[in-house]
Amino acid sequence: MAVLNQSSVTNKVKLIDARGPRFSAGITTLVLAIALVTQSAALIAIQLVVFAIGAFAGPAKTPYAFLFKKFVKPRLRGEVPTEDARPPQFAQSVGLIFAVVALVGSLLSIPALFTVAVGFALFAAFLNAAFNFCLGCEIYLIAVRILKK
Amino acid sequence: MKSLTPLVIVLALAIAFGVWYTRSRGEFRKKKTVNGPKLDASIIGVELGSRVTMVQFSSAFCSPCRATKALLEDMVGKMDDVHYAHIDAESHLELVRKLDIRSTPTTLFLNRDGVEVGRAMGTPKRSQVMAAVNAIH
């Protein structure tokens, strides 16, 4: 994963507008929902590119973040809530993995694999958008506990 | 295989999980038996409080960890008998396994002997921390 080399909490923290990733998760939810219903590999390919940009360049660099900055942010008032860029970047990396698995399922003509992978990605994106669910909080430590001796 | 069924299933599960998640985050869960390992300054890096010590475990990919740290640091500033320790979970994996920390932020509430009496997962509200701290003697 693109962000695993920045894993200490003591590292210098890059802050971004916390509402951006949540807005992006909303659009991601919509794209994944349509892809799931229409079984569209093309839509997943587009979402895969977005996830890849988010995972490698950062969540503030995606086309969805651009839409947020251009059209949504100017309309929002009040204090800007900030957050560390790493948690949403981690979530984008996990999304990328699911998108890759979904496309592999599509290329190998295994619709069940496509459906399950898109389903998991949609589950996480929807929770993020609707409940401010923090994927990194729930799965990262468990993954580290399993993988590291 | 175009169908609405997978979408409906995923959304129903996500809503059910989301409601549970929102309700359970921050909630103080008291341990039925206080029999965990005894922690001290050599393990958590901070002297034990004379009544309560709150030990927060954080990780890098955790947005609510920052908010939790700010809240707890602010609260211990006003309480002489309560101390606060902040631990990076990833660099203390042995301790994390011993105490069975699964998600971040997780805040342990230790009594004066350094034994866990309960914990809260996610960011607690100020009132939840107050209630938990006041219940420990």
Side-chain angles (χ1 to χ4, degrees):
Chain A
M1 259 171 273
V3 284
L4 283 189
N5 57 347
Q6 313 170 352
S7 52
S8 167
V9 277
T10 52
N11 274 1
K12 209 169 151 196
V13 170
K14 184 175 178 261
L15 295 177
I16 56 171
D17 189 331
R19 301 165 301 189
R22 201 146 173 207
F23 170 80
S24 301
I27 300 187
T28 305
T29 300
L30 197 64
V31 170
L32 292 174
I34 296 170
L36 186 63
V37 172
T38 60
Q39 297 281 302
S40 165
L43 266 182
I44 293 300
I46 294 169
Q47 183 60 51
L48 184 147
V49 173
V50 175
F51 278 143
I53 297 170
F56 291 99
K61 299 280 194 287
T62 67
Y64 302 167
F66 175 77
L67 290 179
F68 172 77
K69 272 174 228 155
K70 186 96 179 160
F71 300 107
V72 183
K73 198 171 171 153
R75 291 178 168 78
L76 295 175
R77 283 186 207 156
E79 208 180 315
V80 176
T82 56
E83 73 170 333
D84 187 343
R86 292 173 301 174
Q89 192 164 358
F90 174 81
Q92 296 284 304
S93 308
V94 176
L96 177 61
I97 293 171
F98 280 119
V100 168
V101 173
L103 274 194
V104 168
S106 187
L107 290 173
L108 300 179
S109 302
I110 312 171
L113 185 62
F114 178 90
T115 300
V116 169
V118 176
F120 270 108
L122 174 62
F123 183 82
F126 174 79
L127 278 171
N128 188 186
F131 295 95
N132 210 9
F133 175 71
C134 168
L135 188 67
C137 301
E138 305 303 322
I139 69 165
Y140 179 62
L141 192 56
I142 292 187
V144 170
R145 280 180 59 169
I146 293 168
L147 297 175
K148 274 196 194 170
K149 283 277 141 53
Chain B
M1 212 176 80
K2 287 181 187 177
S3 147
L4 273 175
T5 314
L7 178 65
V8 172
I9 292 172
V10 169
L11 289 184
L13 288 174
I15 289 169
F17 178 83
V19 169
W20 170 82
Y21 177 80
T22 307
R23 284 193 188 156
S24 65
R25 291 306 93 169
E27 181 190 32
F28 176 70
R29 291 184 198 176
K30 207 173 163 188
K31 280 188 82 176
K32 287 190 190 91
T33 46
V34 180
N35 56 359
K38 225 176 193 182
L39 304 180
D40 59 35
S42 69
I43 301 168
I44 61 172
V46 170
E47 287 297 327
L48 289 179
S50 62
R51 187 167 59 88
V52 179
T53 308
M54 296 189 284
V55 185
Q56 179 191 338
F57 287 85
S58 293
S59 66
F61 307 124
C62 168
S63 306
C65 288
R66 274 177 74 229
T68 307
K69 181 170 184 278
L71 171 72
L72 298 182
E73 275 178 341
D74 178 58
M75 291 185 75
V76 291
K78 294 161 194 151
M79 296 182 282
D80 295 336
D81 53 358
V82 183
H83 283 183
Y84 168 73
H86 187 237
I87 295 179
D88 173 26
E90 203 181 344
S91 53
H92 295 80
L93 277 182
E94 203 182 318
L95 185 62
V96 161
R97 289 199 179 97
K98 190 160 94 175
L99 297 166
D100 197 22
I101 309 292
R102 294 172 193 180
S103 64
T104 52
T106 292
T107 306
L108 307 186
F109 292 77
L110 311 182
N111 62 18
R112 70 180 76 210
D113 300 321
V115 182
E116 180 193 346
V117 294
R119 61 178 65 187
M121 284 174 272
T123 305
K125 293 191 190 79
R126 193 173 280 268
S127 58
Q128 289 174 314
V129 177
M130 249 0 243
V133 165
N134 287 338
I136 301 168
H137 299 289

